Amino acid sequence: MELLSSKRYRVRDDFKTARPVYVVWEITLACNLKCTHCGSRAGKVRPGELTTEQCFEVIDSLKRLGTREISIIGGEAFLRKDWLDIIRRIDESGMECSMQTGAYNLTEKRIMDAKAAGIKNIGVSIDGLEKTHNDIRGRKDSFSQAINCLSLLKKHGIVSSVNTTMTKKNKDELDELLDILIANGVKNWQVQLVVAMGNAVDNSDELVIQPYELIDFYENLIVIYRKALANNVLVQAGNNIGYFGPYEHIWRQGSVGYYSGCSAGHTALGIEADGIIKGCPSLPTSDYTGGNVKDMSIEDIWKYSEQMFFSRYRNTEEMWGGCKGCYYETSCLAGCSWTSHVLFGKRGNNPFCHHRAIELNKKGHKERIRKIKEAEGTSFDYGLYEVVVEDFNGNIIEIQTPTSTETIVNEYENRVPRDPKPLKLCKACNHHIYEASEVCDFCHKDVAETNATYEKNMKKAQEVLERLELLMSAPAE
């Protein structure tokens, strides 16, 4: 199976040294699509977009900081006139350049030019079957153009992937969409939940999957995952997928095996077209701008900006609502900061959690989000929501409303680098438990005995497989 770049995957030393391994760079806000879930509300060129020379300076700075991969996005990246010069400079600097695209009018010539400039892989966004995709993307022929782009990428030997933002509109189409991806030779499929930012706030009622729907949703997704794997397609989970449900070890196979906290400003970095630097490209600009390359160097922004390095020093004091006191709070820290912050105006509570939905379900409870304030209508803006906890009959038990939009953080002089306790997988119930645990905190079985039984069963399974392979390879009499 041909995988996406391994350069973006973090190793333990990257976290210790706080290195921006993977950078997502919006090189222009200009776009030729009208997506109903677009967080940046892309369309027109962002005022004050960087010049070519300023872009080259950014690339040089990222090289010095130890960046290994830069993914260019928009808007639509190829609408910027010097996009090929930017790709070429990244490639010549020894870093890998990838691109995420809606693929509308991404012609064969543009693809060939990008390959010649040094592009290494291109991710194409496909958000459902044809009618659904076209509806979400705002162009009646956007689906056919995206599919055609996949064939062109294959023709010219460029590693490709498909990115899907999962919504209420397409969540029941994923199995059929997978068939289309298989037929078109796709090997990597990246999925994430839609997040209530920008245009998605305006359309949240029809797009956002409710927290209580996650249980059935993930049961369906794991079936699709296994079907994909059987057809040589790797499903890669986005940062707001899962969180310590029974399939966490499957979603996170490319890392430590479980979600280990937001990496924004720790091993990841985002750049807006006008030079604004954030720890993650999706974070709200109003709350997470660390600085602008027009005023100071990326190195200084990375090292000294409070808004940039929040994830390096976080602790459980930030937790509130349903995440406060959770078994996994020290590792998870309320999951994706983007997903949680745009709901409540601060981090520390994330209802889009598989483990949380399951635990509530055991009590006969469920959660849903309810919008209480609309977004302003600017790029990377957000509204305000509250979490409604209720029983299966719809009786309200609790409402989690942020009383303040100020995130609690440690004073600077008391900060220590975040070092969550390591976890291991219980082989009996597939829950992650603390590394030091001798008895599983969930199924209450002896960990050593469970591991011994697991190893014994695996050995037997391997022996059976070897015997079967011998029988199948034996010549017929």
Side-chain angles (χ1 to χ4, degrees):
M1 182 180 296
E2 194 171 28
L3 300 178
L4 291 178
S5 167
S6 61
K7 289 187 176 183
R8 72 177 62 173
Y9 292 119
R10 288 78 162 177
V11 297
R12 198 164 189 84
D13 186 58
D14 295 325
F15 288 93
K16 290 181 179 179
T17 57
R19 181 183 295 119
V21 173
Y22 181 53
V23 174
V24 179
W25 186 359
E26 171 206 276
I27 61 173
T28 182
L29 195 60
C31 192
N32 53 15
L33 292 173
K34 303 173 183 178
C35 302
T36 59
H37 56 28
C38 181
S40 65
R41 301 184 187 269
K44 297 181 180 179
V45 172
R46 192 184 290 278
E49 291 189 356
L50 298 177
T51 66
T52 304
E53 285 305 314
Q54 287 172 328
C55 287
F56 287 173
E57 291 172 8
V58 165
I59 294 167
D60 295 344
S61 293
L62 292 174
K63 175 66 175 177
R64 290 192 293 268
L65 279 170
T67 296
R68 297 197 290 269
E69 180 179 354
I70 300 175
S71 184
I72 59 171
I73 63 169
E76 187 57 80
F78 64 77
L79 294 181
R80 182 175 168 124
K81 292 182 179 180
D82 60 357
W83 71 295
L84 295 172
D85 297 323
I86 292 172
I87 293 172
R88 190 173 296 107
R89 182 68 169 231
I90 293 170
D91 183 61
E92 292 173 350
S93 297
M95 295 176 286
E96 192 156 292
C97 184
S98 58
M99 182 172 78
Q100 303 300 316
T101 178
Y104 196 78
N105 284 338
L106 183 53
T107 61
E108 184 167 15
K109 183 181 186 308
R110 282 172 169 153
I111 289 172
M112 293 172 65
D113 289 344
K115 181 178 181 180
I119 201 78
K120 293 299 184 290
N121 58 73
I122 295 178
V124 179
S125 295
I126 302 180
D127 290 325
L129 301 180
E130 185 167 10
K131 183 179 183 305
T132 300
H133 175 90
N134 291 342
D135 181 48
I136 289 174
R137 294 276 161 179
R139 295 279 190 178
K140 64 180 180 180
D141 56 343
S142 59
F143 182 85
S144 60
Q145 292 211 23
I147 296 298
N148 182 60
C149 179
L150 292 176
S151 65
L152 290 174
L153 293 173
K154 185 177 181 180
K155 175 182 176 180
H156 292 286
I158 300 175
V159 176
S160 65
S161 66
V162 166
N163 312 301
T164 299
T165 299
M166 296 179 294
T167 68
K168 281 185 177 181
K169 286 189 172 185
N170 65 25
K171 68 182 180 67
D172 296 323
E173 299 181 352
L174 300 179
D175 187 43
E176 292 177 82
L177 178 57
L178 173 59
D179 291 337
I180 293 173
L181 303 189
I182 293 169
N184 283 275
V186 173
K187 301 302 180 186
N188 301 275
W189 187 16
Q190 300 181 86
V191 296
Q192 70 172 31
L193 295 174
V194 68
V195 174
M197 169 179 267
N199 290 344
V201 181
D202 306 340
N203 303 293
S204 61
D205 288 344
E206 61 185 75
L207 293 178
V208 176
I209 298 170
Q210 286 287 354
Y212 69 85
E213 298 176 301
L214 291 177
I215 296 177
D216 290 341
F217 175 77
Y218 283 126
E219 289 302 319
N220 291 332
L221 188 61
I222 194 64
V223 173
I224 292 169
Y225 177 96
R226 288 165 176 155
K227 175 182 173 180
L229 204 60
N231 287 276
N232 207 29
V233 179
L234 178 63
V235 177
Q236 298 171 300
N239 288 329
N240 62 8
I241 294 294
Y243 306 138
F244 300 101
Y247 313 122
E248 179 70 9
H249 62 294
I250 297 176
W251 306 139
R252 308 295 170 196
Q253 287 189 79
S255 57
V256 295
Y258 56 86
Y259 187 79
S260 54
C262 173
S263 61
H266 197 170
T267 60
L269 183 147
I271 307 174
E272 292 186 9
D274 58 358
I276 281 178
I277 303 296
K278 302 183 292 189
C280 166
S282 302
L283 288 170
T285 308
S286 59
D287 301 286
Y288 289 93
T289 296
N292 193 305
V293 298
K294 296 174 182 176
D295 306 316
M296 57 193 299
S297 69
I298 291 184
E299 289 97 328
D300 285 344
I301 296 171
W302 179 259
K303 292 175 183 177
Y304 304 118
S305 170
E306 291 274 335
Q307 291 84 358
M308 181 60 58
F309 57 58
F310 72 92
S311 74
R312 305 176 209 172
Y313 302 99
R314 296 177 68 190
N315 63 30
T316 57
E317 289 183 24
E318 288 186 15
M319 302 301 104
W320 63 281
C323 288
K324 184 68 175 178
C326 173
Y327 182 86
Y328 298 110
E329 66 176 347
T330 59
S331 176
C332 184
L333 291 171
C336 171
S337 298
W338 169 40
T339 304
S340 59
H341 193 111
V342 299
L343 291 175
F344 311 115
K346 66 176 182 177
R347 306 183 299 270
N349 187 17
N350 190 346
F352 291 96
C353 168
H354 197 192
H355 169 71
R356 181 162 153 179
I358 290 173
E359 292 302 304
L360 284 168
N361 189 70
K362 291 177 182 176
K363 300 176 183 178
H365 299 167
K366 62 180 183 178
E367 287 181 322
R368 59 185 171 87
I369 60 168
R370 182 167 63 189
K371 183 162 55 176
I372 56 178
K373 182 183 177 182
E374 294 288 349
E376 296 178 352
T378 57
S379 181
F380 290 115
D381 63 348
Y382 57 92
L384 196 63
Y385 293 76
E386 59 187 8
V387 179
V388 179
V389 185
E390 55 193 11
D391 63 22
F392 293 162
N393 294 318
N395 298 310
I396 295 178
I397 297 166
E398 178 190 8
I399 297 178
Q400 298 169 17
T401 303
T403 55
S404 167
T405 56
E406 182 178 353
T407 299
I408 300 172
V409 295
N410 285 335
E411 293 300 322
Y412 184 81
E413 60 268 18
N414 296 324
R415 290 179 182 171
V416 293
R418 183 169 68 88
D419 188 21
K421 295 179 181 178
L423 301 171
K424 61 185 177 184
L425 186 68
C426 172
K427 302 297 186 181
C429 66
N430 282 341
H431 276 93
H432 283 87
I433 55 178
Y434 291 116
E435 189 72 47
S437 298
E438 297 180 358
V439 176
C440 177
D441 297 297
F442 294 92
C443 69
H444 308 296
K445 293 185 178 180
D446 183 274
V447 174
E449 291 180 4
T450 297
N451 287 343
T453 301
Y454 176 82
E455 293 299 328
K456 183 178 179 180
N457 291 339
M458 288 298 293
K459 185 177 180 181
K460 285 183 178 180
Q462 183 64 34
E463 291 172 353
V464 170
L465 179 62
E466 290 173 357
R467 288 199 298 270
L468 182 61
E469 288 176 342
L470 282 173
L471 288 172
M472 292 179 67
S473 61
E477 294 183 1

